[in-house]
Each structure stands twice: as structure tokens, then as C-alpha cells.
Amino acid sequence: MSEPAVTRVTPIAFLTATRGRGRLHWTDVFSYGYLALGVFLMFGPVIWLALSSFKTASGLLEFPPTLLPLGQIEVAVEGYDEPLPLYQVTLDDGSVQELAQIRRIGIIAQMVDPADPDARIKVPIDRREAVREFRVAWENYTAPLQRFNFLTYLKNSVIVTIVATAVTLLINSMAAYGLAIYEFRGRNAIMLFVIGTLMIPITVILVPVYLVVTELGMINSLWGVILPGAATPTGVFLLRQYMLTIPRDLIEAARMDKASEWAIYWRVVLPLAAPAIAVLAIFSIMWRWNDFLWPLIVLNRSEVYTLQVGLNAFQGELDVQWHYVLAMTVVTLIPVIFVFAFLQRFITTGIASTGMK
Amino acid sequence: MSIVQPRPSLADIAWAPLRLLGALVDYPLRAVQRVAGIGRMPYVFLIPNLGFFGIFVVVPLFVNFAFSLTGGTNLFLSDRVYVGTEQYGFLLDCENFVDSGSCREDRFWRGIFNTFVFVSFQVFFLVLFSLITALILNRDIYGRGFFRAVYFFPVLLSPVVVALVWKWILLRDGILNAFLVSIGLEKILFFVSPQWAMFWAIFVSIWAHMGFYTLILLAGLQAIPPDLYEAAEMDGTKRERVFWRITLPLLWPNMLVVIVLALIKGVQIFDEVFVLTGGGPGTATQFIVQYIYNTGFSNQVQNFGLASAASVVLGVVLFALTLAQLAAVRRKDSTNV
């Protein structure tokens, strides 16, 4: 029921207008309220993490936390090796002075005037307040690159993702081609087998796969992460369904031109199956970049860790260095954000049409 | 008239290495084809995939069962002692199956109990919120693409990242506690209280996976023929009635698929919660997959036999759920023609 064309639009009517339907229903209000809350709940935590990753180690310890990265100003004082943190101190006579803190003993802080380094002043800690400035702690990002194996983790993750995706695409598309194009004995049996094994998760066969990987000498090797998940029934199934739609005449024509079966697969069928292959490629990249349980089991030495395993190791330390953990989490996030920004449409239609993740 | 060679485009140059690779492989495979004949070529194409799949999935599936019948701490099957069903007996030795404390392997039963609690709440609220979100996104709203993306993007985040994002919020001096203090409440130690730890395990996993199920339900909603709604509108049917009489019945097959899929994933919960709570406090958020992981890989004594027996139990549960899923999918395909 659409209302007749409105001749005079009052402000209220304008604000409460909806697309198509008549006036504002309570469900419209509820919808936008729900969506606004959703934006806050979904984006908020990630934005908070990203903002926090730019704070200094001491800035992160503050409670209550500040929204923006504020760092305490530190000043070099003659006679002290390390720069000292600067405070604004209310002295006994009521005057306010900026002093640097040497050390704190209980509730008394020993402070010094940067202009007059020889005289020490004792101040109760509730009389001083940190002097802060807006400061982005880039060192959270640069230090892990130099001091920890972070670059190695990054490299390992990239290798695993790229090689595993290449292997997955190759062997799965070959199998899909075999199953889609040819009539042969045992085809239905193999197809049934593929469908039947779609759902065997790694969690059910952890121990024996570990045994196989050990026998092959691939513990603590990236191959041990790459190969076990390479042949995915899901991938075969997806590609085969797509290849079934390729017209047989094209293949017959190529055979007339004396193309080998491999050439038909590589030069005729693969390019035509590109959309399905793209979907599988995106899924594979996501699976591999985010994979955690299996790498955690196979990789026990820190030089072969992937990003996810490395991050987990860092956050599990007794004395967690959150300023580094947060920065590394942001780095781990970045490729995913890119994939999301550019390929969202592919991914969502892929999921909606296959029901897989 | 001269024949002009078309200039190679950028795409041609980008694909050149792949072309070359294909041409290189072509020579040996041409020879194979000459020997085997076209009739046997499908097997050649299938061998790599089936080989990998056989080595890393099919063989392990049987070996797993063999493992569960052996004892000791050796990894290689030939060094292991046959103990029959002793591992299963150990796992299932309980005076009272409802009380995990009465079982000999109480950690296993804690894991099962925790997984049961987790799955019951997680699947219910996951499907509920996914349904609400899908219904709202299916409406004629402004910025639909944007809002769909908002709910979907956590699906792409790695479980480790998801856990760290929330851990950072829930820490003792985190922003949530700062908020609680600012409105005059006490700080809550979320990872010290078993109830809170379980609550956040459920909350965070819903947060991370909701977008996926929303998407499937949204696809189902969009497949409902619009003429049904138009007819209802023409009859002046109330919105509530339209929902109960048209939307929900027609969406139900999709709902079933989503519920079973969520169950299958929920039973296997590990990554996010492992990083978020480490299974703690105590064993309050230790689930069955973490029991398998701890028993087989992370404890001082690696008890592979026991871990295998536990995974066989998990496998049986998942197999039953998969059968349910196949039935749900078949029902959906037969109704959504």
C-alpha cells in the first residue's frame, strides 16, 4: 500500500519517511537502532585495539585508559642516564611546578627540577600529575620486527598461504576436471566418496595425521602445515559443479584440433572455470592465513611459527608485552581487511551459494 | 594489407608464466596419454588429489581407531601395546554420568559437559541473532550493503585475532572495567569467574561467526518469491502474521541447515576460547577438542591412545550431526525448487 504522492513535505514527515512503504513503523525504528548498535559492537572492539596499539607501554598501563594515544613527556636531566618522566606538582605553598621524577618509594616520589638538577624534592604522589602529550608509539610496530622473530612469522605465514593455495587449486581442479568431463568406471563411487568425506574435520584425526606427518619427517617444517589440508573435498565439489556447466562442444572442438587432454584442462577448462577458482582461492587464502590448531601442533620451534601461532605464544607469556602484542595483531589484521575491502562481494556470494566457510 | 599482430595486453603478460608452465607439463602428459589412452586419463587427473586425501585423511581415519586400542607413549604404531578397549573403558568409567567429579577421567567429562553448555547457549543465540539480523537486512533499509559488511567482517578475522581483540577489552584494567567503574560499579575479573569466562566464550564466538549464518539466512530470505508478500499486502495481512505464516515456514529449511551447521562447528570449538581463556579458570572453559589437544600434544606425557579414543567419541557425535545435516540439506533442496 503506497501512499499517494505527497505535495507538501513537513519536516517530521521527511524524517520519518521510509522507502516505498508508508509511515514509520515501530519495526523501522527498531531496525535502525539494532543496526547502529551492531556497528558499535562489531567495529568498536577492533578500532579500540588499533587505537591502543599506538600507545606506549606505560600509556597502556593507565587506568582508566585514554581514548587517544597519549604519552608522558620525558625529559633528560643532567646527572641521570635515563630520561625522567615529567609531572606537574602542586607544592606546599600552592604553586604549581613541572618536576621530573627520579624514583617512587611508597607514597612519596623523589623529584627533581630539570632546571636545578642538584636539589631533590620529596612529594606525596597524590600531589603530582603526569604531563602528557599526543604521541604515537611507532616503536610498537618497528621493535618487534627487529627484536623478535616477527618477520620470520610473517614470512612463514605468507609462504604457507601462497604455496598451500597453489597446491590446493592445482590438485583440486585436476580432480574436478576428471570428475566433470569424463565418463569412466568408478566415477560415481569416487563422487559419493567425495561427498561423504566433505565433513571430516581435522579435529577428529589429529593424532594419526600427526603420526603421518612425523613419518614423512615434516614436523617443524612448513610442508607439514601445507600438505595435510591441501586436498579438500569441498574444493573438488565446488569446482566440479561449476565445470559441469561448461559446454561439451568446446572440449570436442579442442580434441579435433589434436589438443592433449592436459592442454584441454589447462587452456580450455581452467580459464572458463575462473570464477569458481577465484572463490576457492579466496577461501583457501582465508583458511590458511587464519589456521591455528594444526600449525600449533606441527610447529614447535619458534623459527617455523606462523603469525597466528607466534601471536598466541606472545600473548601466553607470563609477562605479556601488550604494546607489542597489539601492534602485531594489527599487522595480522591488515591483509584480511584488504581482502575484505576488495573481495567482499566474491566472498559473500561464494558463501551464500555454497554454504561453506 | 598487412596482418597486424595484436599487442599483448597486461593480462597476457601476467598469465605468461602459467602458460609456460602448462606447456612444459604438456610434453610428459602427452606421452602418458599416448601410453594410457584417453580412457585412462581421468585417473591421471584424479591421482594427485586422491593420493593426498588418502594419505592425510582416509588412512588416518582408520589409524585413529587402531591408535585408540593401544597404550603407552610411543608414537609409532609398531611400538605401541595393544590394550583392547581399555582406553574407552578409562574414558567411560563413571559412577554417575551427570557428575564429572565421579568419573575416573574427570577432565574428559568436564570437557563434554562444558561443550554441552557452550553449544546449547551458543547455537541458540547465534541462530536467534543471525535470524534477527538477516530479517532486518532483508528490509528496505538505507545502506544495506554497508550494514551487511559490518556484520560479516569478523568472519574473516583469525580466531587468534578475535580472542586478542576481546581479551584486550576484558582485562582487569581494560576498557569494559573502566566503563563499569565510571558508572559506579566494581571491577569484574572476567577470567577469574567461571560463569563470566563461559559467558564471554559464548559471546565472543557468536560475535565472530554471526555474519556467516546471517548471510546464509539472508540468501534464504531473498529466495522467497516476492509475489507472496505482495498478495499478503493486498489482503491487508498484518506484518506479524506475514512473518509467522509466510517468512518463517519458507525460511525453515534454511534455518535447519544453519542450526545443524552451527552445531557441527560449535562442538568443535577450540581456537578462540583457547586463546581467550586458555580453558580456564581451572577447567571452566575447557572443551572437548582442547581435551584432545592437551592429552595428545601439550601435556608432559603425550597419551596418544587416550587422545585417539576421545577423538573417536567426538567423531561419532559429529557423524550423527552430519547425517542430520545431509537430511536438512535434502529437505531444503526438495522444498526450494
Side-chain angles (χ1 to χ4, degrees):
Chain A
M1 252 196 327
S2 62
E3 279 189 353
V6 187
T7 43
R8 226 186 58 203
V9 184
T10 64
I12 303 268
F14 175 74
L15 283 174
T16 58
T18 58
R19 277 184 179 178
R21 305 225 178 145
R23 65 209 161 66
L24 200 69
H25 192 259
W26 68 267
T27 52
D28 292 307
V29 180
F30 176 76
S31 296
Y32 284 106
Y34 182 89
L35 291 174
L37 184 71
V39 173
F40 175 72
L41 262 183
M42 293 289 161
F43 280 157
V46 178
I47 291 173
W48 175 240
L49 178 101
L51 277 177
S52 306
S53 76
F54 293 109
K55 292 182 182 173
T56 56
S58 57
L60 287 176
L61 289 176
E62 265 177 53
F63 187 89
T66 54
L67 187 64
L68 291 173
L70 298 174
Q72 189 166 9
I73 298 178
E74 294 187 329
V75 287
V77 181
E78 215 176 300
Y80 297 92
D81 298 335
E82 300 275 321
L84 301 176
L86 197 64
Y87 286 88
Q88 204 159 45
V89 180
T90 316
L91 295 173
D92 292 336
D93 57 2
S95 67
V96 178
Q97 200 178 352
E98 283 192 355
L99 297 178
Q101 176 176 304
I102 304 164
R103 66 173 73 83
R104 181 187 147 185
I105 305 157
I107 56 161
I108 301 291
Q110 277 190 13
M111 320 219 34
V112 65
D113 186 349
D116 176 22
D118 296 328
R120 292 189 180 182
I121 308 161
K122 284 188 179 161
V123 180
I125 55 167
D126 56 349
R127 301 281 280 282
R128 73 198 165 111
E129 198 171 320
V131 179
R132 295 185 299 188
E133 62 179 351
F134 180 79
R135 196 163 81 78
V136 176
W138 294 110
E139 62 269 23
N140 292 351
Y141 285 83
T142 51
L145 297 181
Q146 296 148 7
R147 271 204 272 159
F148 309 107
N149 279 334
F150 188 63
L151 264 187
T152 318
Y153 303 161
L154 189 67
K155 190 190 76 193
N156 290 341
S157 268
V158 170
I159 291 176
V160 166
T161 305
I162 291 178
V163 176
T165 301
V167 174
T168 301
L169 291 182
L170 180 71
I171 65 177
N172 284 355
S173 66
M174 281 173 71
Y177 171 76
L179 288 168
I181 306 298
Y182 300 96
E183 303 273 347
F184 59 94
R185 232 149 59 96
R187 188 180 74 161
N188 290 339
I190 294 179
M191 224 21 239
L192 261 181
F193 179 72
V194 167
I195 295 174
T197 49
L198 275 177
M199 282 296 174
I200 298 178
I202 186 97
T203 47
V204 176
I205 46 175
L206 284 177
V207 175
V209 178
Y210 183 74
L211 168 72
V212 170
V213 168
T214 310
E215 294 248 23
L216 295 173
M218 295 191 296
I219 292 297
N220 282 323
S221 132
L222 295 181
W223 288 110
V225 178
I226 292 169
L227 295 183
T232 57
T234 334
V236 176
F237 191 66
L238 172 78
L239 293 178
R240 183 216 176 225
Q241 296 306 94
Y242 195 86
M243 286 179 183
L244 284 178
T245 64
I246 294 172
R248 289 304 171 90
D249 304 354
L250 280 175
I251 292 155
E252 289 305 321
R255 278 207 186 112
M256 299 286 233
D257 287 344
K258 298 243 161 35
S260 71
E261 297 303 301
W262 169 266
I264 296 175
Y265 156 74
W266 193 261
R267 304 191 52 181
V268 179
V269 173
L270 271 195
L272 287 173
I277 288 183
V279 170
L280 183 60
I282 296 167
F283 278 120
S284 173
I285 290 171
M286 271 162 39
W287 291 332
R288 296 316 190 124
W289 186 259
N290 293 341
D291 200 9
F292 178 61
L293 175 58
W294 186 244
L296 182 69
I297 287 175
V298 176
L299 309 174
N300 304 313
R301 288 211 313 264
S302 94
E303 64 266 26
V304 286
Y305 279 177
T306 58
L307 267 184
Q308 313 292 344
V309 179
L311 258 184
N312 178 56
F314 265 114
Q315 73 90 27
E317 283 172 358
L318 273 182
D319 185 18
V320 185
Q321 293 176 298
W322 273 104
H323 52 300
Y324 294 142
V325 171
L326 295 175
M328 287 189 286
T329 309
V330 171
V331 174
T332 314
L333 263 169
I334 289 170
V336 176
I337 299 287
F338 267 102
V339 168
F340 180 68
F342 292 112
L343 303 173
Q344 198 227 128
R345 193 165 293 270
F346 263 111
I347 300 169
T348 48
T349 49
I351 286 180
S353 57
T354 62
M356 71 174 187
K357 178 165 65 163
Chain B
M1 235 168 72
S2 65
I3 297 166
V4 181
Q5 282 278 326
R7 267 203 310 156
S9 72
L10 206 63
D12 287 337
I13 297 169
W15 293 116
L18 277 180
R19 286 245 181 78
L20 186 69
L21 184 70
L24 284 179
V25 180
D26 194 31
Y27 290 106
L29 277 183
R30 220 176 249 275
V32 171
Q33 188 180 335
R34 213 170 295 133
V35 177
I38 284 194
R40 294 209 182 84
M41 281 312 278
Y43 301 108
V44 175
F45 280 102
L46 278 164
I47 280 170
N49 186 57
L50 291 184
F52 274 104
F53 197 67
I55 293 173
F56 292 113
V57 179
V58 181
V59 170
L61 210 53
F62 291 102
V63 173
N64 198 19
F65 194 65
F67 254 111
S68 71
L69 300 176
T70 60
T73 52
N74 290 320
L75 176 61
F76 294 103
L77 262 183
S78 50
D79 305 335
R80 296 182 62 85
V81 202
Y82 177 78
V83 294
T85 56
E86 199 178 277
Q87 305 282 17
Y88 292 98
F90 181 62
L91 280 184
L92 304 178
D93 185 7
C94 263
E95 278 172 25
N96 174 4
F97 280 99
V98 190
D99 172 20
S100 63
S102 74
C103 302
R104 244 172 92 200
E105 183 60 347
D106 58 336
R107 290 180 310 131
F108 176 69
W109 288 97
R110 280 297 297 179
I112 289 199
F113 176 74
N114 287 340
T115 309
F116 183 76
V117 171
F118 175 86
V119 167
S120 317
F121 285 97
Q122 194 246 13
V123 172
F124 178 78
F125 286 105
L126 182 63
V127 175
L128 181 70
F129 285 120
S130 301
L131 177 64
I132 295 174
T133 315
L135 285 170
I136 289 176
L137 290 178
N138 194 39
R139 291 165 64 96
D140 211 357
I141 51 169
Y142 294 96
R144 185 151 96 192
F146 168 74
F147 286 118
R148 196 179 57 186
V150 166
Y151 286 95
F152 179 73
F153 93 95
V155 172
L156 302 185
L157 301 184
S158 88
V160 180
V161 168
V162 167
L164 288 177
V165 163
W166 282 97
K167 198 170 185 174
W168 180 239
I169 287 173
L170 300 172
L171 284 175
R172 190 169 63 95
D173 291 333
I175 193 165
L176 186 56
N177 270 326
F179 171 73
L180 290 181
V181 168
S182 77
I183 60 170
L185 297 173
E186 298 261 316
K187 279 187 188 179
I188 301 174
L189 303 180
F190 293 111
F191 298 121
V192 175
S193 142
Q195 287 82 17
W196 275 114
M198 182 60 103
F199 171 82
W200 286 112
I202 293 168
F203 180 92
V204 170
S205 75
I206 292 177
W207 183 86
H209 301 296
M210 206 178 107
F212 172 70
Y213 298 97
T214 303
L215 215 59
I216 296 182
L217 290 178
L218 191 59
L221 284 174
Q222 285 169 350
I224 298 176
D227 12 331
L228 287 176
Y229 289 115
E230 280 161 24
E233 205 168 334
M234 229 110 68
D235 293 345
T237 317
K238 279 201 172 138
R239 289 189 194 208
E240 293 73 27
R241 205 173 149 79
V242 170
F243 173 75
W244 291 110
R245 289 302 171 88
I246 297 177
T247 309
L248 204 57
L250 286 175
L251 190 64
W252 190 242
N254 284 285
M255 288 281 288
L256 271 185
V257 170
V258 162
I259 291 171
V260 181
L261 213 56
L263 279 173
I264 291 176
K265 299 266 179 193
V267 170
Q268 299 177 65
I269 182 73
F270 171 76
D271 302 359
E272 299 106 284
V273 183
F274 178 71
V275 181
L276 185 69
T277 69
T283 53
T285 53
Q286 189 168 343
F287 301 115
I288 182 138
V289 172
Q290 198 190 339
Y291 171 79
I292 296 171
Y293 169 74
N294 285 348
T295 310
F297 301 100
S298 117
N299 284 355
Q300 283 289 306
V301 180
Q302 300 192 308
N303 195 335
F304 295 116
L306 199 57
S308 293
S311 17
V312 170
V313 174
L314 175 65
V316 171
V317 174
L318 286 173
F319 182 68
L321 286 173
T322 306
L323 288 185
Q325 196 214 8
L326 288 179
V329 170
R330 184 166 308 156
R331 212 175 122 174
K332 178 188 131 184
D333 289 346
S334 63
T335 43
N336 283 14
V337 184

